[in-house]
Amino acid sequence: MAFSLARIAARSLHTSCRRNALSKFAMPAMSPTMTEGGIAAWKKKEGDTFSAGDVLLEIETDKATIDVEAQDDGVLAKIIIPDGTKNVSVGSPIAIVAEEGDDLSDAAQMASEAADQPSSKPTTKEEPEPSTPPTSDAPKDPVPQSHPREARPELAKGDRIFASPIAKKIALERGIPLSKVQGTGPEGRIIREDVEKYQPSASAAAPATPTAEYVDIPISNMRKVIGTRLTQSKQELPHYYLTVEINMDKVLKLREVFNQTLGEKDKAAKLSVNDFILKAVARALVDVPEANSAWLGEVIRQYNKADISVAVATPTGLITPIVKDVGSKGLATISTETKALAKKARDGKLAPQEYQGGTFTVSNLGMFDVDHFTAIINPPQSCILAVGSTKPSIVPTPEEERGFKTVNIMKVTLSSDHRVVDGAVGARWMTAFKGYLENPLTFML
C-alpha cells in the first residue's frame, strides 16, 4: 500500500544559494504508534530523478513492508541509510533530496553531517575489534625451555604418567591427553605450564574441530513486536478458557450445496469452513455484545460492529488483518475479502488500517490437523477464539438402532479477559456461537 508523504521534506524558499537547494528526507511514521522502522529497499538510486507518485523506497514496519511514494518531483541526491538497515528512528534523516537542475555537489557533505547526528544514527552491527590481551612478563624464576628439547615419543598405553594434580585437572577440563604432553618438570613430570602451553598437531586438531549445529536468525521488527505484545498480554491479562465441541454436519452439507452453486458461476469461488465460523462469530457478538469489548484502562469500550481480526501466518510472523463489519456481509463477500487480505498479508502489502484495530480475533489451525489449542488474547481486545480441526467422532444416540452414530465434531476454545468478560458471559457467547454453527440456516434469517 502506497503511503503518500505530505511533502518530501521541509524546504525553505528556493534561492540562488546552492546549499539551500538540498533538503533532508526524514524517516516517515507509517502509523500513529510507529517509533522506528527498517529500510527494506530503495527503489531509486543516487542521482535518479523521480516524479510525484513514484515509489522511492520500501519501509519495514512491525507489521508489513510499505511503499513510500513521492508527492513532488525531484532528485535523490544522496542515500544516508542503506538497504537492510533496521531500527531507524522516525524523523531521522535517511536521504538528501533536491529539485531537478539543482547543484548536488554539497550532497555528500550534507549527508555526512546528518549521519553524524546521534539522534539519526542507526544502530549498526559492527562489533569492536577484540582487544589484544596483555602479555604477561616473563617469570623471574628460570624455567626450562620446552621448545628446543627433542620430542618425546608417546607413552605406550597403560604406562604410568607422572603429572602434578593441577596439571591433571586442567588437562581433564580442556580434554587434553596427558600421554601427548611433554613434561618439563623433574624427571619429565608434567606440570601446569606444560598443559597450558600444549598445542595439538594439525593432523590431530582437524577432527576435533566442532561443526556448527545451529543457525542464528536475525529478529525482524515484526517478530520483536509479536514477542513483546504477546508476553505482555500473557503476563498482564487474566486469561481464562472455555472449550466446547460443535457438530459441524449441517455446515459441511450447506457448504457443499453453496459451493456447487457458486462453482457454476465462478469456478474459483469456494466457501471455506472458516467463512461460516466468522459469520457465526459476528452473529454471536450481536447476541452477547459484552464479548465485543475492549479494556481501555478507565473504561470498557463496547463495539456496535464486529470487526474480526483473522490470524494469518506469514514468513516473518503472525499478523491479523481485519474483516470489517462481518455481521452485515454475506458468506461470499466474507470469503472474498478474507482471501484477499490473507494474500496481502503474506506478500507484506497490508496497509496500517487493514490490520490496526479489530474487536475480536479468530485463530484457526484446523487446516494443520490440530484438534485443540488455546490462543493468547490480542489486547486491547477481550476475546480470541482458537479453532481446531473437524473430525468424525462417534457419539451415543439412543434413538438409533445401533445406539450410536458418526458426526463431524469441531473443538473450539475461547480465551477471555476476565476483567471484561465474566465466565458466565463467555459461556453465553459460546452457547450462541455453537447454536449458529449447528443450525447454519439461521445465518439467512
Side-chain angles (χ1 to χ4, degrees):
M1 173 66 185
F3 182 88
S4 297
L5 300 177
R7 192 74 170 95
I8 293 179
R11 186 186 296 273
S12 304
L13 291 176
H14 188 73
T15 66
S16 60
C17 180
R18 69 181 186 182
R19 191 172 182 82
N20 290 334
L22 303 174
S23 301
K24 297 176 183 177
F25 180 78
M27 181 73 168
M30 313 308 287
S31 67
T33 58
M34 177 177 168
T35 58
E36 62 179 23
I39 307 297
W42 284 95
K43 297 302 182 181
K44 296 291 183 181
K45 299 178 181 179
E46 292 183 357
D48 286 356
T49 59
F50 53 83
S51 303
D54 288 351
V55 177
L56 296 179
L57 73 157
E58 291 181 347
I59 289 182
E60 180 190 17
T61 69
D62 57 350
K63 292 293 185 182
T65 301
I66 303 176
D67 292 340
V68 176
E69 290 183 352
Q71 184 174 350
D72 299 320
D73 299 346
V75 179
L76 183 58
K78 188 70 177 178
I79 294 175
I80 300 175
I81 307 299
D83 294 355
T85 306
K86 299 183 182 297
N87 304 326
V88 181
S89 300
V90 169
S92 300
I94 59 175
I96 303 297
V97 295
E99 293 181 357
E100 191 169 0
D102 287 343
D103 189 344
L104 308 182
S105 59
D106 289 336
Q109 180 181 350
M110 190 173 183
S112 178
E113 293 173 356
D116 289 338
Q117 296 176 6
S119 60
S120 63
K121 193 171 185 179
T123 57
T124 61
K125 296 183 179 179
E126 295 181 1
E127 298 181 357
E129 295 184 0
S131 58
T132 303
T135 56
S136 58
D137 296 334
K140 296 180 180 179
D141 296 334
V143 178
Q145 298 296 323
S146 59
H147 299 289
R149 71 178 182 272
E150 297 181 357
R152 186 185 69 179
E154 295 184 14
L155 293 176
K157 187 174 181 180
D159 288 356
R160 182 178 179 184
I161 300 174
F162 294 92
S164 66
I166 187 64
K168 292 180 180 179
K169 181 176 182 296
I170 295 174
L172 181 63
E173 292 174 349
R174 300 184 183 181
I176 297 175
L178 286 176
S179 61
K180 297 183 179 181
V181 178
Q182 298 179 10
T184 60
E187 299 182 357
R189 182 183 179 89
I190 299 173
I191 60 177
R192 175 176 183 168
E193 186 182 49
D194 299 330
V195 178
E196 292 178 340
K197 290 184 177 181
Y198 171 75
Q199 294 292 337
S201 61
S203 58
T209 303
T211 57
E213 297 181 356
Y214 57 87
V215 176
D216 290 332
I217 302 173
I219 299 176
S220 65
N221 288 339
M222 181 186 290
R223 178 60 59 187
K224 187 182 300 182
V225 171
I226 290 172
T228 301
R229 285 178 58 82
L230 293 186
T231 300
Q232 181 182 10
S233 173
K234 192 64 175 177
Q235 291 177 344
E236 297 181 2
L237 272 60
H239 287 59
Y240 73 90
Y241 311 96
L242 300 174
T243 301
V244 297
E245 294 182 347
I246 301 174
N247 185 336
M248 297 293 288
D249 283 350
K250 292 182 180 180
V251 166
L252 296 178
K253 291 178 181 178
L254 189 60
R255 172 175 175 258
E256 183 180 0
V257 173
F258 282 173
N259 282 339
Q260 288 177 353
T261 304
L262 290 173
E264 296 174 357
K265 300 178 181 179
D266 183 3
K267 294 183 179 181
K270 187 177 181 181
L271 298 180
S272 68
V273 172
N274 204 56
D275 300 329
F276 287 84
I277 291 171
L278 295 184
K279 186 66 177 181
V281 167
R283 294 298 296 268
L285 289 176
V286 173
D287 294 347
V288 188
E290 297 94 332
N292 197 31
S293 303
W295 177 271
L296 301 182
E298 298 298 327
V299 297
I300 294 175
R301 178 171 296 171
Q302 190 173 112
Y303 298 97
N304 297 323
K305 295 181 179 180
D307 295 337
I308 300 179
S309 304
V310 181
V312 177
T314 72
T316 55
L318 188 71
I319 192 169
T320 52
I322 303 165
V323 183
K324 302 290 183 67
D325 196 10
V326 175
S328 66
K329 297 174 180 175
L331 290 169
T333 303
I334 294 171
S335 178
T336 301
E337 292 187 8
T338 303
K339 290 175 183 175
L341 287 169
K343 184 179 185 305
K344 292 179 71 175
R346 295 187 184 99
D347 294 340
K349 299 299 182 181
L350 285 174
Q353 63 269 21
E354 291 177 316
Y355 60 80
Q356 291 178 351
T359 64
F360 190 102
T361 298
V362 173
S363 180
N364 191 342
L365 293 181
M367 66 287 293
F368 299 107
D369 204 29
V370 174
D371 290 335
H372 167 258
F373 69 103
T374 58
I376 301 175
I377 298 170
N378 183 22
Q381 296 178 13
S382 300
C383 296
I384 182 171
L385 185 69
V387 181
S389 61
T390 300
K391 293 187 174 182
S393 300
I394 296 176
V395 297
T397 311
E399 61 272 18
E400 294 282 339
E401 181 179 353
R402 295 179 300 174
F404 66 89
K405 67 177 180 178
T406 302
V407 298
N408 291 288
I409 297 295
M410 180 180 72
K411 189 177 293 186
V412 299
T413 299
L414 179 71
S415 304
S416 300
D417 182 350
H418 216 317
R419 299 174 302 177
V420 182
V421 180
D422 292 332
V425 174
R428 284 198 293 115
W429 186 89
M430 288 289 269
T431 300
F433 173 71
K434 177 178 179 178
Y436 282 116
L437 284 182
E438 292 189 341
N439 298 280
L441 288 177
T442 53
F443 291 171
M444 318 305 166
L445 300 178

